[in-house]
């Protein structure tokens, strides 16, 4: 009896269940059993995980090359980001170079080119987002309404094909079409009684040429994911709407668009997250000294200073700044989408 009273007293003082004693009684701590069960489950979790991996090892093997790719080419190079805070000298290596803190960031912020680069980079990205982002959605909605299968396949083939043209070939086509002497566009302008325009030499035309040539190349490919999302909408919903007297436009607005809205939101988040990342290759190929005022972006500036000018630390600092802005924008737009009860990345 005395031993039993001592054990009950011990149980009351230690109701956090650190003891493994399990005594029944009116004053028994209820948390004791719960904690014991939780610890038992925790001890069993590694075994459960290992069983799941062993059972689905083929899937993990399939995932392994992609995981290694990202680790080797994306995560491992992050070790070199520290040169943004150093005066990197190749002969001394990363660890041997002198630490200078935020010197290169301040140098970039005080640079004469800073606001021009920001204006051009954001300008091109916003132009692309506003004009180019909705067009694949519209194309997908239109293609989805086509009942003639042959015509539908023809439209899809014609719009998909430019995606497989390389950027170099695309820019060559643009240069040939817009040539002030022999270009088709200027021939039409001259036939209407106007003087030819050297489009690629004027900074004010650069953004429009960049965006609309990109639309021509990517609109068909970008519509594929929306067409796939539209195919997942239940046909019975449309049949019910038709029976209720809904027109085609009403069905598009009230059934199709809400049906693909989660896909639209996810792709919009990704687009906004990359708003500071304009494609380097195309801009660089279209760039020339005459349109530099409207075409110089952060990526081309980093190339000139980092690769051509061998200012590795400064170029890394600029690139790191650009990546941080993208990350903040991605986080913000994802948070906004989540607060509006829409689809989100996490």
């Amino acid at each position: 009896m005395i031993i039993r009273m001592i054990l009950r007293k011990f149980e009351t003082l230690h109701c956090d269940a650190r003891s493994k004693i399990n005594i029944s009684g009116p004053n028994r701590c209820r948390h004791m059993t719960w904690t014991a069960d939780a610890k038992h489950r925790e001890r069993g979790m590694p075994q459960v995980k290992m069983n799941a991996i062993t059972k689905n090892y083929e899937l993990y093997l399939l995932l392994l090359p992609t995981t290694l790719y990202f680790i080797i080419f994306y995560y491992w190079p992050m070790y070199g980001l520290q040169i943004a805070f150093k005066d990197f000298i190749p002969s001394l290596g990363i660890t041997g170079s002198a630490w200078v803190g935020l010197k290169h960031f301040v140098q970039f912020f005080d640079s004469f080119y800073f606001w021009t680069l920001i204006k051009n980079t954001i300008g091109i990205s916003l132009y692309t987002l506003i004009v180019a982002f909705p067009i694949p959605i519209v194309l997908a909605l239109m293609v989805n309404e086509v009942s003639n299968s042959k015509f539908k396949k023809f439209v899809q083939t014609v719009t998909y094909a430019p995606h497989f043209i390389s950027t170099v070939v695309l820019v060559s086509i643009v240069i040939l079409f817009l040539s002030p002497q022999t270009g088709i566009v200027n021939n039409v302008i001259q036939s209407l009684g106007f003087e030819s325009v050297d489009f690629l030499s004027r900074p004010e035309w650069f953004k429009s040429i960049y965006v609309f040539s990109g639309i021509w190349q990517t609109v068909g490919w970008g519509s594929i994911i929306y067409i796939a999302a539209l195919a997942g909408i239940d046909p019975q919903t449309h049949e019910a709407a038709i029976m209720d007297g809904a027109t085609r436009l009403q069905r598009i607005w009230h059934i199709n668009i809400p049906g693909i809205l989660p896909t639209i939101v996810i792709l919009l988040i990704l687009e906004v997250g990359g708003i500071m990342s304009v494609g380097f290759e195309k801009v660089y190929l279209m760039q020339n000294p005459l349109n530099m005022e409207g075409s110089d972006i952060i990526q081309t500036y980093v190339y000139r200073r980092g690769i051509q000018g061998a200012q590795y630390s400064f170029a890394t600092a600029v690139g790191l700044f650009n990546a941080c802005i993208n990350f903040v924008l991605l986080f913000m737009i994802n948070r906004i989408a989540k607060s509006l009860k829409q689809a989100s990345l996490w």
Side-chain angles (χ1 to χ4, degrees):
M1 180 64 70
I2 295 173
I3 296 174
R4 190 176 184 84
M5 290 175 64
I6 293 172
L7 290 174
R8 284 186 179 179
K9 184 65 175 178
F10 182 81
E11 182 182 358
T12 304
L13 293 175
H14 297 270
C15 64
D16 58 354
R18 283 177 290 182
S19 173
K20 294 183 180 179
I21 301 173
N22 190 4
I23 306 294
S24 61
N27 296 324
R28 177 170 165 264
C29 180
R30 296 180 180 177
H31 294 288
M32 211 174 156
T33 305
W34 297 343
T35 306
D37 291 342
K39 288 183 177 180
H40 180 72
R41 287 194 298 269
E42 287 178 1
R43 287 195 299 268
M45 281 301 291
Q47 185 62 36
V48 172
K49 290 180 179 178
M50 286 303 300
N51 291 339
I53 293 174
T54 305
K55 184 178 179 181
N56 302 293
Y57 74 94
E58 299 96 339
L59 298 177
Y60 287 97
L61 287 176
L62 189 64
L63 187 63
L64 183 62
T66 304
T67 305
L68 291 176
Y69 169 79
F70 278 96
I71 291 173
I72 295 171
F73 295 104
Y74 285 87
Y75 289 98
W76 179 252
M78 287 183 183
Y79 170 77
L81 287 177
Q82 58 185 296
I83 70 173
F85 307 95
K86 294 186 174 186
D87 270 333
F88 176 68
I89 300 174
S91 60
L92 298 178
I94 295 177
T95 56
S97 300
W99 184 273
V100 295
L102 300 177
K103 170 188 171 182
H104 301 298
F105 293 92
V106 174
Q107 182 182 350
F108 176 58
F109 298 150
D110 293 338
S111 171
F112 170 78
Y113 300 100
F114 178 75
W115 289 112
T116 301
L117 295 172
I118 296 296
K119 181 186 69 175
N120 289 338
T121 303
I122 296 179
I124 292 175
S125 295
L126 287 178
Y127 197 166
T128 304
L129 185 65
I130 295 170
V131 177
F133 183 77
I135 293 181
I137 302 173
V138 175
L139 177 63
L141 292 170
M142 293 172 64
V143 169
N144 188 64
E145 296 300 318
V146 175
S147 56
N148 189 319
S149 60
K150 290 185 178 180
F151 181 73
K152 186 175 183 177
K153 291 179 181 178
F154 173 77
V155 171
Q156 289 177 305
T157 303
V158 170
T159 54
Y160 294 169
H163 171 77
F164 300 98
I165 298 175
S166 70
T167 305
V168 176
V169 175
L170 173 66
V171 174
S172 299
I173 293 172
V174 170
I175 293 173
L176 290 173
F177 272 55
L178 299 180
S179 171
Q181 288 82 27
T182 58
I184 296 175
V185 175
N186 274 300
N187 287 340
V188 174
I189 292 174
Q190 289 175 346
S191 66
L192 296 174
F194 300 98
E195 295 183 359
S196 63
V197 180
D198 192 356
F199 292 99
L200 291 175
S201 298
R202 296 191 177 185
E204 63 271 18
W205 281 103
F206 183 86
K207 294 181 179 64
S208 297
I209 296 171
Y210 178 90
V211 171
F212 284 99
S213 61
I215 291 173
W216 175 76
Q217 185 180 25
T218 61
V219 62
W221 187 260
S223 67
I224 291 177
I225 190 168
Y226 299 113
I227 294 174
L230 287 167
I233 297 176
D234 190 354
Q236 294 182 359
T237 309
H238 283 278
E239 293 172 2
I242 293 171
M243 292 181 65
D244 289 339
T247 63
R248 177 170 290 186
L249 288 177
Q250 288 175 329
R251 285 188 284 116
I252 291 173
W253 183 257
H254 294 287
I255 298 176
N256 288 349
I257 293 179
I260 63 174
L261 189 59
T263 305
I264 294 173
V265 172
I266 291 295
L267 293 179
L268 180 62
I269 292 172
L270 295 175
E271 285 289 331
V272 174
I275 203 168
M276 295 290 287
S277 300
V278 181
F280 163 79
E281 186 180 4
K282 186 178 176 182
V283 173
Y284 184 72
L285 292 171
M286 292 174 61
Q287 198 174 75
N288 60 62
L290 297 177
N291 64 21
M292 189 71 73
E293 182 183 347
S295 65
D296 200 15
I297 58 174
I298 291 177
Q299 286 75 14
T300 55
Y301 183 71
V302 167
Y303 173 75
R304 288 201 311 275
R305 296 292 296 268
I307 305 300
Q308 295 181 334
Q311 299 181 27
Y312 305 114
S313 294
F314 180 80
T316 304
V318 177
L320 182 58
F321 163 77
N322 191 42
C324 289
I325 296 298
N326 278 335
F327 176 77
V328 171
L329 290 173
L330 178 65
F331 183 83
M332 288 175 59
I333 193 67
N334 186 76
R335 189 70 178 268
I336 292 171
K338 202 170 183 179
S339 66
L340 296 176
K341 308 298 181 183
Q342 297 294 338
S344 58
L345 292 178
W346 64 84

